[in-house]
Amino acid sequence: QGLFGFSVLMLVGFLLIEYYSAEPIIPLVIFKNRIVAVSLTVTMLTGFGLFGSVIFVPLYFQGVLGASATASGNFLTPMMLGVVVGSVVSGQFLSRAGGHYKIQGIVGLAILALGLTLLSRLGLETGFAEAVGYVSITGIGLGITMPLYTIAVQNAVPYDLLGVATSTTAFCRSLGGAFGLAVLGAVMHRRYAAELIEHLPAGLTSAVPLPQLLQMVNNPQALVHPAKQNLLEAMLAGAGPQGAELFAQLMRVMRQSLQSALAQVFFVSLLVVVAAFGINLFLKEIPLRRQHKTA
């Protein structure tokens, strides 16, 4: 709470300095333009959704489906290919159809919302091919929306503010991603711990010392780290004949808890993208400029 309060205080100080500065880093006058304000807000919210998918999708493949670390990273390739395809199609359509970036934003955010909806429905029995399909849909939605609002901002500001407006777009995307990662990480940790405590196998509390049990609750590393998994299995083996069965039950419960936590992460990302969809409806379209005229 103290850090959040300090952050708000620093933000207010930054805005005051920028407002009264003769040569501000981010001229606040650009936010008076409705196209810029709406585009930067949507960009920040889509950055939230971007990190929500890129960071947590590999964790699903590795922790829930049991893929290796290398394979789980490779499963991001379809998403990146989807981003490339979406970006190419979006750019071509934008230049050839007269710059209807509001309509393309509606389409792109709808596809992104669809992808996150499907990701939130991933379960323990979901196949790799099905999960890859959902990831690809999410990538296409991201590809359509990511470059779109940069063009909208560049098209709305005068030539002398072109550079700062473009860099502010990238900054807002990174800011949304950083904020999203912090929020979604907290959501995942809280849901994982609650699910694991609720469904712990009977007899585990007597077989595992309380400090180690709390460590398992706070960190699902045994699902993605073979050494920690082996250590946990050896520790439960010392509990007697029921050790192997307790280990199998515990791993199953940990996977179920992680799957439930990631489903909530993707659902929160979906809510943010839905908010971005609503804000995008206020975006004003103006014809694309073929050249900039200096003031």
Side-chain angles (χ1 to χ4, degrees):
Q1 294 179 352
L3 289 177
F4 277 116
F6 180 74
S7 300
V8 172
L9 181 62
M10 290 296 99
L11 176 61
V12 173
F14 173 77
L15 293 177
L16 289 175
I17 293 173
E18 293 298 285
Y19 181 78
Y20 290 106
S21 175
E23 297 183 359
I25 299 175
I26 302 178
L28 301 184
V29 67
I30 65 174
F31 294 98
K32 294 182 179 180
N33 187 313
R34 193 177 81 177
I35 296 176
V36 175
V38 171
S39 297
L40 293 181
T41 303
V42 175
T43 297
M44 184 178 297
L45 295 178
T46 53
F48 192 110
L50 168 65
F51 278 76
S53 55
V54 171
I55 299 299
F56 294 99
V57 162
L59 183 58
Y60 169 80
F61 282 106
Q62 188 176 2
V64 178
L65 296 187
S68 66
T70 302
S72 63
N74 291 336
F75 281 120
L76 280 179
T77 301
M79 176 183 287
M80 295 301 105
L81 291 176
V83 170
V84 172
V85 171
S87 298
V88 172
V89 172
S90 176
Q92 290 296 317
F93 187 82
L94 191 65
S95 61
R96 297 175 186 273
H100 297 292
Y101 42 79
K102 178 179 180 178
I103 297 176
Q104 287 186 232
I106 291 174
V107 174
L109 290 169
I111 295 175
L112 178 56
L114 173 62
L116 289 171
T117 300
L118 295 173
L119 288 178
S120 68
R121 297 169 62 87
L122 292 173
L124 294 176
E125 306 302 325
T126 303
F128 284 97
E130 185 179 358
V132 167
Y134 297 166
V135 167
S136 301
I137 293 173
T138 306
I140 293 174
L142 286 171
I144 293 175
T145 56
M146 283 177 60
L148 190 64
Y149 298 100
T150 301
I151 297 174
V153 168
Q154 291 173 337
N155 189 56
V157 298
Y159 182 78
D160 57 334
L161 293 177
L162 184 61
V164 68
T166 303
S167 60
T168 302
T169 304
F171 171 71
C172 286
R173 182 179 295 112
S174 299
L175 188 63
F179 183 73
L181 187 58
V183 172
L184 296 176
V187 168
M188 188 199 74
H189 181 272
R190 182 183 296 270
R191 181 61 177 267
Y192 172 79
E195 288 286 328
L196 185 59
I197 292 174
E198 182 179 353
H199 298 98
L200 276 177
L204 185 66
T205 52
S206 60
V208 180
L210 182 60
Q212 293 176 336
L213 185 61
L214 292 177
Q215 186 178 9
M216 286 190 298
V217 169
N218 292 325
N219 193 352
Q221 284 296 311
L223 288 174
V224 298
H225 200 295
K228 292 184 180 295
Q229 192 173 127
N230 294 335
L231 182 63
L232 178 60
E233 184 176 13
M235 180 179 63
L236 289 177
Q242 76 277 15
E245 178 62 24
L246 282 176
F247 175 75
Q249 292 178 4
L250 177 59
M251 294 301 296
R252 185 164 54 251
V253 169
M254 290 178 70
R255 286 194 174 92
Q256 290 174 344
S257 301
L258 183 59
Q259 178 271 326
S260 178
L262 291 176
Q264 189 170 39
V265 164
F266 294 133
F267 181 73
V268 172
S269 298
L270 171 63
L271 294 180
V272 173
V273 171
V274 169
F277 183 91
I279 295 173
N280 179 78
L281 298 178
F282 296 94
L283 185 62
K284 179 183 177 182
E285 285 186 351
I286 59 176
L288 291 180
R289 292 182 294 200
R290 298 298 178 182
Q291 62 182 2
H292 279 284
K293 295 181 180 180
T294 57

